[in-house]
Amino acid sequence: MSDEPKKSKPPVRKRRGVLLEADYIIKNNETRVRLQMKGKRIYYLFDRYEPYFYLDAPASAIPELMKASALHRGMQIRPVRIEEVEREVEGKKRKVLKVYGKHPPEIPDLRKALEKYPAWEFNILFGRRYMMDHGLAPLSELRYERQGRRLLKVLGQKEASPAFRTMTFDIETYNPLGAPRPERDPAIMISYATSTKDGKVLTYKKIHKPFVQDCGDEKGMLEAFNQLIHQQDPEVLVGYNSTGFDLPYLEARTKHHQMNLKLGRDGSSFRVKRRGIRDVASVRGRIYVDLLPLLRFLSFIGAVKVSRFSLEVAYSEIVGHTSELKAGMERLDIWKMWDDPGQLPHLADYSQGDAHITWELAQAVLPLEFEMSRVTRLPPSDVMGATSSQLVESLLMHEAVARHAIVPNRPSDVEAKRREMNPIQGAFVRTPEPGIYENMVVFDFRGLYPSIITAHNIDPFTLNCACCKDDGYRSPTGAHFCKKHHGLIPDVLAKVVKARAELKDKLKKLEPGSDEYRAMFARQQSLKILANSYYGYLAFSRSRYYSREAAESVTAWGRHYIMQTGEKAEKAGFKLLYQDTDSCFLLMGEKKKEDVLAWMKHVNADLPAGMELELEAFYPRGVFVSKKVAGSAAKAVGSPNESGGPSKSASTGAKKKYALIDDKGRIKIRGFELVRRDWSVVARETQRKVLEAILKDGSKERAVKIVREVIEQIRSGKMPLEKFVIETQLVKGIDGYEVKSPELAAALKYNSKTKNEKMGQGAVVRFVITRSSSMNPALYEPCKKLKVVQAKSSSKTSVSDKAEVLEYAKDYDPDYYIDHQIVPTVLKILKELGVEEEDLKRGGKQSGLGAFF
């Protein structure tokens, strides 16, 4: 026997910690789940757990199945054990087999060895599997027993509101050609912020600012950033468009200097995975957030309202402030400022401003995402890049496991494509007659689709049940849904809707702006987002719970209720202007607000439980525009051409394209293309001024006057050349263009004149359409795919040939900007007032707004 004393086991301790997420490791040939807990360092608890999946086979097959084997990475594997269990399968209790394996990566191969029988849940991530089976939710506080770092038992969990160490970062790059090239153009500044006041700018030029750190050269700056990440050790790392730009640019520059980018808590860089149509990055041991795709998603589902997704606009519209540090800055001029010692302090302010407004934006948005993690049980790192279907699916899977129900498999690619080829009939839309209207009221159904799903027990596994053929919930499509057994989807959705209603009641008793109010508001917003996503998940081609008949029934009931509401409105003396999905626009005429509220109360009395018509707002004035239709659609509109026959194109009312002003003076704009890359600054500014004149002042004359004054300024040459700049990126290499375009012609002329580096693919071309052409046809010769290389002789010069980059442009073509920029943008609105093009250019008969009602 050895005389060496045996090592004593660590004592058993009771502890608390906030759970972030779970994954696994394989140690000593055992699968061990790792629970990542919030802390100053990476902290894991380990628990032994076996992977498994379900098989649709009788118990008598167990001896045979235990003999089955498969090859996994060159090694033979077999089931560890198999047991018979009772589970709910497609809404009915059944006996199935639970097949255990040794390690999670072996499960797909083991399933193939048993492919004689149908199987379920063989591709669920193991960390998620553990959290579902144990009922654990991320961002909850766990009470547990541990021995060393081994988890012995979870004693309980409760909600927590942890504060995270958050850092935002942003980079500036040298960009003489507009779009910087990471293989050649250096990063020149890295800014960061850890609060509204703390933060620095890392760079390598002498700048006399207290927040600037001189790192000597680019390599020194990159090394300082690595050290900063290690020292600050942020739990949440935030950028803006950082997945698409900052991170890959930093990695390219570190590789250029033969060093590594160290963002993770283990010194690793970052990983990017493709999810659907976008890339999602992750940083090991940290919650990484790219605010740009996050805001696009939140805006798409209506959680936030952002008109443009530049950092400055998003900050202004969500936080409610503007950044003075960024005033007068043009991102395309950064390289000039870097080369000008006098401009370096301003550039440093600009860089610092990016980091600080990103930090403030994060503080406004991230609480919603953390609440979404709590609600859906999806780890925060995954929530940041999730789609609405992934959020819904996560909660459904957790709830299915809790009720001992089998989670359906994802469809194959073939099945998903088959579903996509057979689209579901959508919502009812009644398009408005184009024009200007006054005295409107707008209603929305509160949670129309969620209330339809819960009120009618709509679920793939309650559809056309045998027990309710005669007295089930009968859909307008003819399908019926069970009244005796509640489906998973309506049950889970009902809990979500009820929880949100309770939170909204509590919010009324809290002080707006308080920490408790903000936290509770974020929670109810996350529940709203989730509730509104269930119909889309039923209809989503890659959904585990897809059902065409169920989804069609939802929209059919939706059409029924919205059309029924319109009929009731007209019977009550309102004029029905516009309906779309769950919105109803009415003209009040002589009716008062009291009449409107009384009618709404009458309508709500006849609606199913949980469904309610809500007042959005009263709108004194609004403008609805038309859209062009062609072909058979134009024939349906019935507009004649000059010879009296049907026109090849016509106009009709456009859905989701209007501008309104409410009784508090706030303007609501939907569908107008106020920002397009092929519109000049003067065109965008003029369109907005015209809208404001009509909505706020009710004055067609003022709107026309604004346009005439702009046109006169353009003709007189009194407007600065910068107002006429159009920005377009070269999306191909010069030799890849097949047709002429203004940006191509401007780039070719620039390349022929400049001694600097030439413009190529990715360069942002800032050009002006000038009065005359300086285009030599020979300049098109590098464009090998161009269909017309030599310009044909013509008395009329093409627009493309007149394009010049801003620094070489000496004038602008007033006729082009008037005819193709100003007039088209405003005529979309003013033609509904009877204004013609000639009225804007040369004057014409005018009349007041009253002539159009």
Side-chain angles (χ1 to χ4, degrees), residues 24 127 341 346 431 485 540 606 617 663 673:
Y24 73 93
H346 188 26
T431 56
H485 306 288
F540 178 48
D606 294 334
D663 51 4
E673 296 174 322

Side-chain angles (χ1 to χ4, degrees), residues 659-673:
L660 309 171
I661 186 167
D662 68 15
D663 51 4
K664 296 180 181 179
R666 295 172 298 195
I667 291 178
K668 177 180 180 179
I669 297 174
R670 291 290 181 271
F672 283 104
E673 296 174 322

Side-chain angles (χ1 to χ4, degrees), residues 69-108:
S69 65
L71 282 178
H72 175 73
R73 298 177 181 175
M75 297 183 64
Q76 196 172 56
I77 58 171
R78 286 188 171 88
V80 172
R81 69 180 189 280
I82 303 175
E83 61 187 31
E84 187 179 48
V85 296
E86 185 179 75
R87 292 291 183 268
E88 183 182 305
V89 181
E90 296 184 357
K92 299 178 180 63
K93 296 288 186 180
R94 286 180 48 190
K95 299 281 189 175
V96 297
L97 299 184
K98 192 174 184 180
V99 182
Y100 291 88
K102 185 96 176 147
H103 304 308
E106 298 175 0
I107 293 297

